[in-house]
Amino acid sequence: NAGVTQTPKFRVLKTGQSMTLLCAQDMNHEYMYWYRQDPGMGLRLIHYSVGEGTTAKGEVPDGYNVSRLKKQNFLLGLESAAPSQTSVYFCASSPTLGTRDQPQHFGDGTRLSIL
Amino acid sequence: RKEVEQDPGPFNVPEGATVAFNCTYSNSASQSFFWYRQDCRKEPKLLMSVYSSGNEDGRFTAQLNRASQYISLLIRDSKLSDSATYLCVVKGGSYIPTFGRGTSLIVHP
């Protein structure tokens, strides 16, 4: 039972390079989220999706884009990486809108360094 | 005032001790509450949901106080393996969870 899978697990980029982080879930969850976590800052929501084909901005969306073309996948893109985007990125998913008490399930993170 | 606030700690306790964390939230319309555990450089994992009547899972007890807008987590008989960061999570009507910054617990022999 895979749950939430993130790829890649580690990546080093140069400033200005682009890349896409992939999140896949096999639990048929409607909601998916991308967070970044920096020391002392806790988890901050970048973007989220309430269903296939829909995305919305979170707390810190600048410099990132997302797409949810398939229900099971949520992609996070960095068009032009900056050192300030060095962080640990977590993807999460949760079940349908009606089940308010359902918690999130997290992937094991992507550690991204921008030089 | 931050939406969800936690004392960052660290709470440094001996094995066998009882320790309690509080988490305050600002949105009175919040409807769902959770405690997550996060080990160093790992993903957050659900520890327990928090219900209005309070709930217990082994050595862990969670309480919700809606009038004062806080939730608590009590850990009895602390183990070395309980050392981690404990994250408070609150959901309002938007269904988008808000995370506290976490409370660090260190259990020493």
Side-chain angles (χ1 to χ4, degrees):
Chain A
N1 192 2
V4 179
T5 303
Q6 290 183 233
T7 52
K9 301 249 185 296
F10 305 93
R11 187 74 184 267
V12 178
L13 290 178
K14 294 181 180 178
T15 297
Q17 287 185 313
S18 63
M19 79 161 295
T20 300
L21 280 64
L22 172 64
C23 176
Q25 52 96 3
D26 61 3
M27 298 172 284
N28 201 35
H29 285 173
E30 291 292 338
Y31 273 47
M32 296 187 75
Y33 315 78
W34 274 107
Y35 292 90
R36 62 177 289 173
Q37 188 173 37
D38 304 294
M41 296 297 294
L43 283 160
R44 292 186 291 170
L45 183 64
I46 304 171
H47 286 279
Y48 64 97
S49 168
V50 302
E52 182 178 318
T54 70
T55 63
K57 294 180 180 180
E59 181 186 355
V60 289
D62 294 342
Y64 305 95
N65 56 75
V66 287
S67 64
R68 183 100 181 266
L69 298 179
K70 293 182 178 180
K71 185 176 182 179
Q72 64 267 33
N73 295 337
F74 195 29
L75 278 63
L76 178 71
L78 285 73
E79 288 188 350
S80 179
S84 61
Q85 294 176 304
T86 293
S87 188
V88 180
Y89 292 85
F90 288 106
C91 176
S93 70
S94 61
T96 57
L97 190 68
T99 52
R100 181 179 299 140
D101 289 336
Q102 290 296 322
Q104 293 171 303
H105 300 258
F106 282 83
D108 53 9
T110 295
R111 282 148 186 81
L112 185 60
S113 292
I114 317 293
L115 305 179
Chain B
R1 181 182 174 185
K2 293 188 179 64
E3 288 191 56
V4 178
E5 293 201 57
Q6 295 183 251
D7 180 345
F11 286 66
N12 204 321
V13 304
E15 273 187 289
T18 295
V19 62
F21 312 133
N22 280 346
C23 166
T24 59
Y25 60 94
S26 60
N27 184 355
S28 60
S30 298
Q31 300 183 24
S32 302
F33 308 88
F34 308 91
W35 282 104
Y36 278 73
R37 170 196 170 123
Q38 186 174 27
D39 294 293
C40 185
R41 300 179 66 81
K42 300 279 191 179
E43 75 275 21
K45 292 184 178 178
L46 179 69
L47 180 64
M48 58 198 304
S49 301
V50 187
Y51 303 116
S52 297
S53 55
N55 47 300
E56 189 173 305
D57 183 2
R59 298 181 292 108
F60 299 84
T61 300
Q63 297 275 357
L64 167 63
N65 185 316
R66 285 193 184 273
S68 301
Q69 294 183 207
Y70 74 86
I71 66 173
S72 64
L73 177 67
L74 180 78
I75 305 175
R76 291 181 298 278
D77 188 23
S78 298
K79 311 292 184 191
L80 295 176
S81 57
D82 293 334
S83 298
T85 296
Y86 291 84
L87 303 172
C88 164
V89 182
V90 175
K91 267 194 200 181
S94 69
Y95 304 101
I96 303 303
T98 301
F99 282 78
R101 293 188 177 187
T103 297
S104 175
L105 172 65
I106 300 170
V107 181
H108 59 82

